[in-house]
Amino acid sequence: MGSLFRSEEVCLAQLFLQSASAYSCVSELGERGLLEFRDLNPKVSPFQRRFVGEVRRCEEMEKTFTFLQQELRSAGRALGPCPEEPRAPLAREALRVQEQSEQLAQELREVSRNRASLRGRLRELRQYLHVLREGQRFTSLPAPLGSPPRPRALSEREPILDPSLHQHLDRKINFVAGVIHPWRVSAFERLLWRACRGYLVASFVEMPEPMEDPATGETITWVIFLISYWGEQIGQKIRKISDCFHCHVYPYPESEASRADTMNGLHSQIQDLSVVLEETEQYLAQVLDKVVLALPAWRVQVQKMKAIYLVLNQCSFDVTEKCLIAEVWCPVRDLTQVQDALRQGSYKSGSSVECFVQRIPTSESPPTLIRTNKFTAGFQSIVDAYGVASYQEVNPAPYAIITFPFIFAIMFGDVGHGLLMFLFALWMVLYENSPSLRQASNEIWQTFFEGRYLILLMGAFSIYTGFIYNECFSKATVIFPSAWSVATMANHSSWSSAYLATHPSLTLDPNVTGVFQGPYPFGIDPIWSLATNHLNFLNSFKMKMSVVLGIVHMGFGVLLGVFNHLHFRQRHRLVLEFLPEMVFLLALFGYLVFLIFYKWIKFSAANSRLAPSILIHFIDMFLFTSNAGNLPLYRGQVPVQTVLVVLALASVPVLLLGTPLYLCCRRRAPRTGHHGPVATGDEEPLLEGQEAGNSVNATKEDVESGGHSPDAQHLDFAEIFMHQAIHTIEYCLGCVSNTASYLRLWALSLAHAQLSEVLWTMVMRNGFVRLSYAGGVVLVPVFAAFAVLTVAILLVMEGLSAFLHALRLHWVEFQNKFYVGAGYKLCPFAFASNVGE
């Protein structure tokens, strides 16, 4: 059987790796992604394993790479993907990568440190230059001779002594100049006034050039302050307050000439520092270019190297300490590729002793491997979300490729809505290789994109069921002429003008010759969309259709269980489980399907009024009675129904007790010796290699006891009986509840059709009816509202609702008839999944 129908055969194998070539062999296996390694040292701490030093060295290199990447981000550069897929480095290459990365990191640290120092120094010089320029405006503009003194208003903030009297005092006026953060100006000024009692003159002005704040990295407009004072104690207070407010205080020369000289010196220093800083920036850009070119490949190489050593830490050494032994789960058909990979690894390492793989027996259940492609991956994900298939049991995914979109389409049947969904999925399929679509970070979009083929089939099947329902945006389409003739009915009836005036609704009688000309070629006749009883007609049709499809779907699930019984050589389950299950399902609900089709075939329009109720017949079937008011469908119906109910009830104890009693009798069968029971055709198979040997992980106690305790048989029988009782109750009650559950197909289909009709009537129909020819422009926003509501409500919300209901019908009603889903996936060691950006 193909791997999609059933998981592949997987075996446990041992790899014997020579110490010198183990690294190269594991690297080659990681490139191919064939094996899942098992940890042979589960009780050993990660810090006590053989290759912990190599792992730490890889982690140190990863820290260096993280620093390099942070420097690239701070410089505004993006690290692109690795242009090519490098292989894991050898020992010499790893040393070269480590040396070069550390050298680049050291250069970046030094250059970044020098650049930060130069920037800080240049910022301080520019601030100093602006302080001197602004201070010059306050201190070097004497009042013109002969000008009258300006009157000064007294205020609380005026100093006690007039500054104009300083020439009459033997006190020298000093200055404190600097810059302060604009947020601290008001508090700084207030504290200066209170602490110095007004014995100062403070001037504040914004710096004309915004500069970077070294603490936060933001660009702000600093405030320059110039404080004149006299008295040494006042000066000490001012300096202490400036330090508390983190002000940058600069020396302020007393004379104008010295200030000019200082400004000239600052100009020359700023020019020199600008040249040096530009050269530093160029050198830093060169170093970053080297990092951008080398870092992607280095990261991939080191991550591969770390993954290899982590795998080697899971291996165990033999007695001679010259050979590593690894245990792996391997697909049987890939064993030749594994041996080829080991041969290539030994050759590349230059080892004269070739490594090899050996298949070993095991009693453990192997992992599940089901290979998928881009088309089947979405359907397999739906199945795996319920539970990973047990080893080599039937996989429901290939059947879900057809049944899932079809069941969805039954609830979503509309040609227009299905066409929109189909075109959206087709666009994703045609441009599936586009990087913008594939690498989008939106999680919801990724969900849609990964299920593009599923959405494509759901849209295609919805178009098909839309033609069956004859609905396109809730409106019927006339592909073929209607099979009902109104003209014939009018010619053969007594419809007068007065009759037509008093009867807005007219009845078409199919018994009149020529009124009904036979079934519509495909789907529902469009004349039903005009009938007042079209909802009753569609309800009856869709309800019976849901029951028929549901019972067929469940019966197909029970039938798939046969493949599991045959594959696992449990032929007794064919008689003791499959046969009672089918008898119970078909005797009750299969008979219901028969009644539906029989009633459709037997009764026509001529005798439709005599047709009995199937529901009443079905109820009477369980009550072992008949109803005189409800005529039988065929002769001898009551005895047939009685026999079917008795068969269904008789199958329940067979299903409940058959398998436990059979297993109990088989265990009590005579033995040929101490090796085990007599081999029979119905014996449950051992897994591959189970009959001899054990894994390297097996303990001495496991080998001696064989995993069986003295009470194992009693416990096993009790567990089997309890499991079978739960299965019987679940199946018998589930047949009733699951059949009713499929009525959601009818309910969701009705809801979708009614929502479509309401949306058309409330939006588009009003737009057409209430607008004149001049109001055609208003149809543009009306149609826009109709389109938005169609997409938001009918496509997204209704589509999601139908998807979830189809998911439930597959998980609960279909898969639980044959699918256990108690397995675990095979996770091969592959660099594609271990190496990330």
Side-chain angles (χ1 to χ4, degrees), residues 11 71 113 144-145 258 280 322 362 451 459 471 574 608 613 625-626 651 699 717:
C11 67
E71 291 295 321
R113 191 184 307 113
L145 296 176
S258 59
T280 305
K322 294 182 180 180
T362 179
E471 291 184 0
L574 294 175
S608 60
S613 171
T625 185
S626 61
S651 65
T699 61
F717 178 76

Side-chain angles (χ1 to χ4, degrees), residues 58-67 302-303 306:
C58 295
E59 291 175 349
E60 292 296 329
M61 285 192 283
E62 287 179 343
K63 292 179 181 179
T64 304
F65 297 159
T66 303
F67 167 76
V302 172
Q303 288 180 1
K306 181 181 177 181

Side-chain angles (χ1 to χ4, degrees), residues 333-402:
R333 77 175 192 176
D334 292 339
L335 284 174
T336 55
Q337 296 187 42
V338 172
Q339 186 60 53
D340 182 66
L342 296 179
R343 189 180 299 110
Q344 291 290 334
S346 301
Y347 173 77
K348 291 179 180 180
S349 64
S351 175
S352 58
V353 179
E354 188 174 304
C355 304
F356 62 94
V357 58
Q358 178 183 357
R359 186 172 174 178
I360 61 173
T362 179
S363 59
E364 299 181 33
S365 177
T368 300
L369 173 63
I370 299 176
R371 303 181 194 266
T372 58
N373 51 36
K374 61 183 180 181
F375 177 76
T376 60
F379 299 94
Q380 190 63 51
S381 299
I382 291 177
V383 175
D384 291 342
Y386 175 81
V388 179
S390 300
Y391 180 62
Q392 290 205 324
E393 75 169 331
V394 172
N395 181 26
Y399 312 105
I401 294 176
I402 300 299

Side-chain angles (χ1 to χ4, degrees), residues 392-543:
Q392 290 205 324
E393 75 169 331
V394 172
N395 181 26
Y399 312 105
I401 294 176
I402 300 299
T403 59
F404 190 91
F406 181 67
I407 289 180
F408 170 86
I410 293 173
M411 298 177 281
F412 197 76
D414 190 285
V415 176
H417 301 154
L419 183 61
L420 292 178
M421 182 178 292
F422 179 81
L423 293 177
F424 171 67
L426 183 63
W427 170 72
M428 289 191 291
V429 169
L430 294 178
Y431 294 93
E432 62 184 6
N433 295 324
S434 174
S436 59
L437 297 181
R438 186 174 293 274
Q439 299 175 3
S441 58
N442 189 287
E443 186 176 356
I444 298 178
W445 168 256
Q446 283 295 330
T447 303
F448 281 109
F449 185 74
E450 292 174 1
R452 57 192 180 277
Y453 288 97
L454 175 62
I455 300 175
L456 184 73
L457 290 184
M458 290 193 302
F461 277 77
S462 297
I463 295 174
Y464 170 75
T465 54
F467 280 116
I468 294 292
Y469 299 156
N470 203 348
E471 291 184 0
C472 181
F473 297 109
S474 78
K475 308 305 293 180
T477 58
V478 184
I479 302 176
F480 304 100
S482 175
W484 293 81
S485 176
V486 180
T488 305
M489 187 67 191
N491 294 332
H492 289 78
S493 62
S494 58
W495 291 351
S496 61
S497 300
Y499 181 85
L500 294 176
T502 57
H503 293 78
S505 298
L506 303 175
T507 302
L508 298 180
D509 189 359
N511 293 319
V512 177
T513 305
V515 174
F516 181 65
Q517 301 171 1
Y520 195 67
F522 186 81
I524 303 296
D525 196 305
I527 200 172
W528 283 106
S529 62
L530 305 176
T532 56
N533 61 337
H534 76 284
L535 194 59
N536 295 332
F537 170 75
L538 290 180
N539 277 346
S540 176
F541 166 73
K542 292 182 178 181
M543 180 177 63

